[in-house]
DNA sequence: CGGTATTGTTCAGTGCACCGACGATTACGA
DNA sequence: TCGTAATCGTCGGTGCACTGAACAATACCG
C-alpha cells in the first residue's frame, strides 16, 4: 500500500497541464506551428538579428533543441539564417515577411486560446496562477545555474 | 513591435515549469527512472494487474507513449507483462520485486524533491498552486473528451 | 452462426527536451 | 605571437508525447 497520490505531486500536475495546453493549441491555434516555435518567432519579432544561443536563452530551450526548432522554421521559410560577419561562430536570425505574417496571425489566435484555457479561473485567480508558477519555475532554474555565489568568486 | 509577453502565456509557463521539474528530478531523484516511469510504477503498486490502456488512463498517457514507457520498465526488469487468459487482446502488468523496491526508494526521494521544488511557496500558497493547476488541467481535458452530452445520445 | 463493430496493442512519423562530445572560430594571456 | 581557453553550432543518443494506420482478438447483432 505504498502508493502515492500523484495529484499532490507538482511534476505530475505540470505534465498534465502542458498536455492539456498542447491539445488546446492544436485545435485552436495551429496544427503546423507549435507553441515553442511560436515562442521563437516572438523572440525574433522583439529582437531581430539574435543568434541561436540567445534565442534559446530567451525562450528557455537548450542549444540542441533550439537548433531543431530553428531548422524547422527555416524549412518552412519563416526565418533566415546568416553567418555573422563579425563573428564566424554564430548565425544571425531574422524573420521573413511570411514569418512576420504568421506571427501576427498566431498572436490573435493565441490570445483567444489563453482565454479559453484560463476560463475556469476568476480574474484574480489567474494573476495568482501566473505568480505562483513563475515563482516556482524561477526558483528551480536558479538551483541549476552556476548561481550567484554568496561570496566573491575565488 | 507586435511581440508578446510570454510570461503571461500559461502554455509557456507550463513548459518552463515542467523543464524545471525535469532538472530537479534528475539531480535529486534518479537519472535512470523518469517521472512518468515512476507514475506507472505507482499506478501498479496501487492496482496490480492492470492492463496497459488502463495504466495510461490512470497516469495520463496515450496508448503509444504508455507502450514505450512500459517496454522500458520491462527491459529494466521492474515489471512483468502477461497475456490475459480471459481476454487475449490485453496484457496484464505487475511489478517485480525489484520494481517494488525501486518504487519504495523513489517514493522517499520524490517527497524530498517536492519539498525543495515547492519551497518558494508558503504552505497555503502550495494548496492554491495545486488547486489552480488541477482546475485548469481538468477543464482542458474535459474540452477534448466525447464529453457527457447535455441530452441523451441519439 | 457469421459478419461487423469495438477494443487493446503495435508501428511509422513528427516534434520537443535533455546530455555529452566534437569541430570550428574567436578571445585572452603568457 | 602563439597556444590555451571559452563560445557557437552540430551530431548522436535517450526519452516523452501525440496522431493516424494497421492488426489481432473479442463482442455484439441480425
Amino acid at each position: 500500500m505504498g502508493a502515492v497520490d500523484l495529484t499532490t505531486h507538482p511534476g505530475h500536475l505540470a505534465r498534465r497541464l502542458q498536455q492539456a495546453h498542447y491539445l488546446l493549441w492544436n485545435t485552436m491555434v495551429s496544427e503546423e506551428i507549435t507553441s515553442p516555435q511560436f515562442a521563437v518567432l516572438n523572440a525574433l519579432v522583439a529582437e531581430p538579428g539574435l543568434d541561436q544561443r540567445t534565442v534559446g536563452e530567451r525562450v528557455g530551450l537548450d542549444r540542441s533543441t533550439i537548433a531543431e526548432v530553428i531548422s524547422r522554421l527555416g524549412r518552412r521559410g519563416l526565418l533566415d539564417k546568416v553567418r555573422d560577419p563579425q563573428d564566424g561562430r554564430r548565425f544571425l536570425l531574422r524573420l521573413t515577411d511570411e514569418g512576420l505574417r504568421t506571427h501576427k496571425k498566431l498572436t490573435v489566435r493565441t490570445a483567444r486560446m489563453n482565454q479559453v484555457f484560463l476560463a475556469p479561473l476568476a480574474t484574480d485567480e489567474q494573476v495568482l496562477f501566473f505568480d505562483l508558477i513563475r515563482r516556482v519555475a524561477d526558483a528551480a532554474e536558479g538551483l541549476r545555474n552556476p548561481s550567484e555565489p554568496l561570496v566573491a568568486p575565488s
Side-chain angles (χ1 to χ4, degrees), chain A residues 34-151:
Chain A
T34 65
S35 168
Q37 287 174 20
F38 175 73
V40 168
L41 295 182
N42 194 64
L44 290 174
V45 167
E47 305 174 79
L50 286 183
D51 66 311
Q52 255 179 242
R53 194 194 66 60
T54 310
V55 172
E57 206 173 275
R58 294 278 189 279
V59 303
L61 293 178
D62 72 302
R63 350 165 225 140
S64 298
T65 306
I66 201 69
E68 291 182 16
V69 173
I70 284 175
S71 125
R72 274 185 274 271
L73 291 173
R75 249 185 273 138
R76 288 183 192 280
L78 303 183
L79 156 165
D80 279 335
K81 188 171 163 179
V82 265
R83 272 231 126 86
D84 185 345
Q86 255 69 55
D87 184 343
R89 284 170 298 185
R90 54 179 104 192
F91 287 103
L92 301 185
L93 305 172
R94 186 157 265 116
L95 293 194
T96 61
D97 291 349
E98 172 84 20
L100 276 171
R101 269 197 303 277
T102 301
H103 174 266
K104 197 165 192 173
K105 185 174 62 181
L106 294 193
T107 296
V108 179
R109 298 196 196 163
T110 301
R112 270 205 304 268
M113 190 218 60
N114 285 340
Q115 282 195 343
V116 173
F117 196 57
L118 294 174
L121 305 186
T123 307
D124 55 333
E125 288 179 323
Q126 299 184 5
V127 177
L128 257 166
F129 180 80
F130 290 132
D131 179 57
L132 297 178
I133 294 183
R134 211 180 303 127
R135 276 162 62 198
V136 171
D138 286 348
E141 270 171 17
L143 289 182
R144 222 38 204 139
N145 285 358
S147 88
E148 308 292 325
L150 298 177
V151 293

